[in-house]
PDB file of all heavy atoms in Angstrom:
ATOM      1  N   ALA A 227      37.693-127.674  -9.046  1.00  0.00           N
ATOM      2  CA  ALA A 227      37.139-128.161 -10.310  1.00  0.00           C
ATOM      3  C   ALA A 227      35.880-127.399 -10.698  1.00  0.00           C
ATOM      4  O   ALA A 227      35.639-127.129 -11.878  1.00  0.00           O
ATOM      5  CB  ALA A 227      36.840-129.665 -10.212  1.00  0.00           C
ATOM      6  N   PHE A 228      35.095-127.015  -9.712  1.00  0.00           N
ATOM      7  CA  PHE A 228      33.847-126.312 -10.009  1.00  0.00           C
ATOM      8  C   PHE A 228      34.073-124.912 -10.529  1.00  0.00           C
ATOM      9  O   PHE A 228      33.234-124.368 -11.253  1.00  0.00           O
ATOM     10  CB  PHE A 228      32.943-126.314  -8.768  1.00  0.00           C
ATOM     11  CG  PHE A 228      31.983-127.460  -8.784  1.00  0.00           C
ATOM     12  CD1 PHE A 228      32.437-128.762  -8.705  1.00  0.00           C
ATOM     13  CD2 PHE A 228      30.616-127.245  -8.914  1.00  0.00           C
ATOM     14  CE1 PHE A 228      31.573-129.831  -8.768  1.00  0.00           C
ATOM     15  CE2 PHE A 228      29.739-128.308  -8.981  1.00  0.00           C
ATOM     16  CZ  PHE A 228      30.207-129.610  -8.905  1.00  0.00           C
ATOM     17  N   PHE A 229      35.210-124.312 -10.188  1.00  0.00           N
ATOM     18  CA  PHE A 229      35.502-122.973 -10.692  1.00  0.00           C
ATOM     19  C   PHE A 229      36.344-122.981 -11.971  1.00  0.00           C
ATOM     20  O   PHE A 229      36.576-121.925 -12.555  1.00  0.00           O
ATOM     21  CB  PHE A 229      36.216-122.151  -9.614  1.00  0.00           C
ATOM     22  CG  PHE A 229      35.309-121.721  -8.505  1.00  0.00           C
ATOM     23  CD1 PHE A 229      35.352-122.358  -7.269  1.00  0.00           C
ATOM     24  CD2 PHE A 229      34.393-120.692  -8.677  1.00  0.00           C
ATOM     25  CE1 PHE A 229      34.502-121.969  -6.241  1.00  0.00           C
ATOM     26  CE2 PHE A 229      33.543-120.295  -7.664  1.00  0.00           C
ATOM     27  CZ  PHE A 229      33.593-120.940  -6.433  1.00  0.00           C
ATOM     28  N   TRP A 230      36.772-124.149 -12.416  1.00  0.00           N
ATOM     29  CA  TRP A 230      37.599-124.228 -13.611  1.00  0.00           C
ATOM     30  C   TRP A 230      36.930-123.604 -14.832  1.00  0.00           C
ATOM     31  O   TRP A 230      37.526-122.735 -15.497  1.00  0.00           O
ATOM     32  CB  TRP A 230      37.969-125.690 -13.857  1.00  0.00           C
ATOM     33  CG  TRP A 230      38.777-126.049 -15.066  1.00  0.00           C
ATOM     34  CD1 TRP A 230      38.532-127.087 -15.916  1.00  0.00           C
ATOM     35  CD2 TRP A 230      39.996-125.456 -15.537  1.00  0.00           C
ATOM     36  NE1 TRP A 230      39.495-127.168 -16.886  1.00  0.00           N
ATOM     37  CE2 TRP A 230      40.402-126.166 -16.673  1.00  0.00           C
ATOM     38  CE3 TRP A 230      40.762-124.370 -15.118  1.00  0.00           C
ATOM     39  CZ2 TRP A 230      41.552-125.852 -17.408  1.00  0.00           C
ATOM     40  CZ3 TRP A 230      41.913-124.044 -15.840  1.00  0.00           C
ATOM     41  CH2 TRP A 230      42.287-124.782 -16.972  1.00  0.00           C
ATOM     42  N   PRO A 231      35.671-123.927 -15.163  1.00  0.00           N
ATOM     43  CA  PRO A 231      35.078-123.320 -16.366  1.00  0.00           C
ATOM     44  C   PRO A 231      34.835-121.822 -16.255  1.00  0.00           C
ATOM     45  O   PRO A 231      34.813-121.134 -17.275  1.00  0.00           O
ATOM     46  CB  PRO A 231      33.773-124.100 -16.568  1.00  0.00           C
ATOM     47  CG  PRO A 231      33.486-124.734 -15.247  1.00  0.00           C
ATOM     48  CD  PRO A 231      34.796-124.989 -14.610  1.00  0.00           C
ATOM     49  N   VAL A 232      34.644-121.294 -15.037  1.00  0.00           N
ATOM     50  CA  VAL A 232      34.438-119.849 -14.948  1.00  0.00           C
ATOM     51  C   VAL A 232      35.750-119.103 -15.180  1.00  0.00           C
ATOM     52  O   VAL A 232      35.754-117.956 -15.648  1.00  0.00           O
ATOM     53  CB  VAL A 232      33.799-119.458 -13.600  1.00  0.00           C
ATOM     54  CG1 VAL A 232      34.819-119.315 -12.483  1.00  0.00           C
ATOM     55  CG2 VAL A 232      32.997-118.160 -13.746  1.00  0.00           C
ATOM     56  N   LEU A 233      36.870-119.758 -14.916  1.00  0.00           N
ATOM     57  CA  LEU A 233      38.150-119.168 -15.287  1.00  0.00           C
ATOM     58  C   LEU A 233      38.242-118.976 -16.798  1.00  0.00           C
ATOM     59  O   LEU A 233      38.808-117.982 -17.283  1.00  0.00           O
ATOM     60  CB  LEU A 233      39.317-120.040 -14.798  1.00  0.00           C
ATOM     61  CG  LEU A 233      39.695-119.943 -13.329  1.00  0.00           C
ATOM     62  CD1 LEU A 233      40.772-120.959 -12.997  1.00  0.00           C
ATOM     63  CD2 LEU A 233      40.181-118.544 -12.997  1.00  0.00           C
ATOM     64  N   TRP A 234      37.710-119.931 -17.549  1.00  0.00           N
ATOM     65  CA  TRP A 234      37.693-119.768 -19.014  1.00  0.00           C
ATOM     66  C   TRP A 234      36.930-118.527 -19.392  1.00  0.00           C
ATOM     67  O   TRP A 234      37.317-117.791 -20.300  1.00  0.00           O
ATOM     68  CB  TRP A 234      37.009-120.923 -19.706  1.00  0.00           C
ATOM     69  CG  TRP A 234      37.375-122.301 -19.366  1.00  0.00           C
ATOM     70  CD1 TRP A 234      38.291-122.760 -18.476  1.00  0.00           C
ATOM     71  CD2 TRP A 234      36.770-123.447 -19.945  1.00  0.00           C
ATOM     72  NE1 TRP A 234      38.300-124.111 -18.459  1.00  0.00           N
ATOM     73  CE2 TRP A 234      37.368-124.566 -19.360  1.00  0.00           C
ATOM     74  CE3 TRP A 234      35.776-123.646 -20.900  1.00  0.00           C
ATOM     75  CZ2 TRP A 234      37.023-125.867 -19.694  1.00  0.00           C
ATOM     76  CZ3 TRP A 234      35.437-124.928 -21.237  1.00  0.00           C
ATOM     77  CH2 TRP A 234      36.055-126.031 -20.644  1.00  0.00           C
ATOM     78  N   ARG A 235      35.750-118.346 -18.761  1.00  0.00           N
ATOM     79  CA  ARG A 235      34.910-117.204 -19.123  1.00  0.00           C
ATOM     80  C   ARG A 235      35.678-115.889 -18.924  1.00  0.00           C
ATOM     81  O   ARG A 235      35.607-114.987 -19.773  1.00  0.00           O
ATOM     82  CB  ARG A 235      33.645-117.198 -18.268  1.00  0.00           C
ATOM     83  CG  ARG A 235      32.649-118.290 -18.639  1.00  0.00           C
ATOM     84  CD  ARG A 235      31.484-118.271 -17.673  1.00  0.00           C
ATOM     85  NE  ARG A 235      30.315-118.958 -18.195  1.00  0.00           N
ATOM     86  CZ  ARG A 235      29.944-120.180 -17.843  1.00  0.00           C
ATOM     87  NH1 ARG A 235      30.685-120.873 -16.977  1.00  0.00           N
ATOM     88  NH2 ARG A 235      28.859-120.721 -18.349  1.00  0.00           N
ATOM     89  N   LEU A 236      36.401-115.777 -17.823  1.00  0.00           N
ATOM     90  CA  LEU A 236      37.174-114.570 -17.591  1.00  0.00           C
ATOM     91  C   LEU A 236      38.233-114.386 -18.678  1.00  0.00           C
ATOM     92  O   LEU A 236      38.496-113.267 -19.122  1.00  0.00           O
ATOM     93  CB  LEU A 236      37.844-114.616 -16.215  1.00  0.00           C
ATOM     94  CG  LEU A 236      36.917-114.743 -15.002  1.00  0.00           C
ATOM     95  CD1 LEU A 236      37.730-114.711 -13.709  1.00  0.00           C
ATOM     96  CD2 LEU A 236      35.828-113.685 -14.981  1.00  0.00           C
ATOM     97  N   ARG A 237      38.820-115.492 -19.101  1.00  0.00           N
ATOM     98  CA  ARG A 237      39.861-115.437 -20.130  1.00  0.00           C
ATOM     99  C   ARG A 237      39.274-115.204 -21.510  1.00  0.00           C
ATOM    100  O   ARG A 237      39.721-114.311 -22.242  1.00  0.00           O
ATOM    101  CB  ARG A 237      40.677-116.736 -20.105  1.00  0.00           C
ATOM    102  CG  ARG A 237      41.816-116.748 -21.111  1.00  0.00           C
ATOM    103  CD  ARG A 237      42.613-118.046 -21.070  1.00  0.00           C
ATOM    104  NE  ARG A 237      42.034-119.066 -21.927  1.00  0.00           N
ATOM    105  CZ  ARG A 237      42.748-120.020 -22.547  1.00  0.00           C
ATOM    106  NH1 ARG A 237      44.066-120.050 -22.398  1.00  0.00           N
ATOM    107  NH2 ARG A 237      42.170-120.932 -23.281  1.00  0.00           N
ATOM    108  N   SER A 238      38.270-115.985 -21.889  1.00  0.00           N
ATOM    109  CA  SER A 238      37.737-115.943 -23.253  1.00  0.00           C
ATOM    110  C   SER A 238      37.148-114.582 -23.613  1.00  0.00           C
ATOM    111  O   SER A 238      37.221-114.151 -24.754  1.00  0.00           O
ATOM    112  CB  SER A 238      36.671-117.023 -23.439  1.00  0.00           C
ATOM    113  OG  SER A 238      37.236-118.299 -23.365  1.00  0.00           O
ATOM    114  N   TYR A 239      36.542-113.918 -22.610  1.00  0.00           N
ATOM    115  CA  TYR A 239      35.865-112.649 -22.880  1.00  0.00           C
ATOM    116  C   TYR A 239      36.632-111.457 -22.337  1.00  0.00           C
ATOM    117  O   TYR A 239      36.081-110.362 -22.224  1.00  0.00           O
ATOM    118  CB  TYR A 239      34.444-112.710 -22.318  1.00  0.00           C
ATOM    119  CG  TYR A 239      33.662-113.842 -22.939  1.00  0.00           C
ATOM    120  CD1 TYR A 239      33.593-115.090 -22.329  1.00  0.00           C
ATOM    121  CD2 TYR A 239      33.013-113.693 -24.166  1.00  0.00           C
ATOM    122  CE1 TYR A 239      32.902-116.149 -22.915  1.00  0.00           C
ATOM    123  CE2 TYR A 239      32.325-114.734 -24.761  1.00  0.00           C
ATOM    124  CZ  TYR A 239      32.267-115.965 -24.126  1.00  0.00           C
ATOM    125  OH  TYR A 239      31.593-117.012 -24.716  1.00  0.00           O
TER     126      TYR A 239
END
Side-chain angles (χ1 to χ4, degrees):
F228 266 64
F229 287 104
W230 178 226
V232 83
L233 281 175
W234 311 359
R235 288 176 161 101
L236 300 183
R237 182 180 87 149
S238 294
Y239 301 94

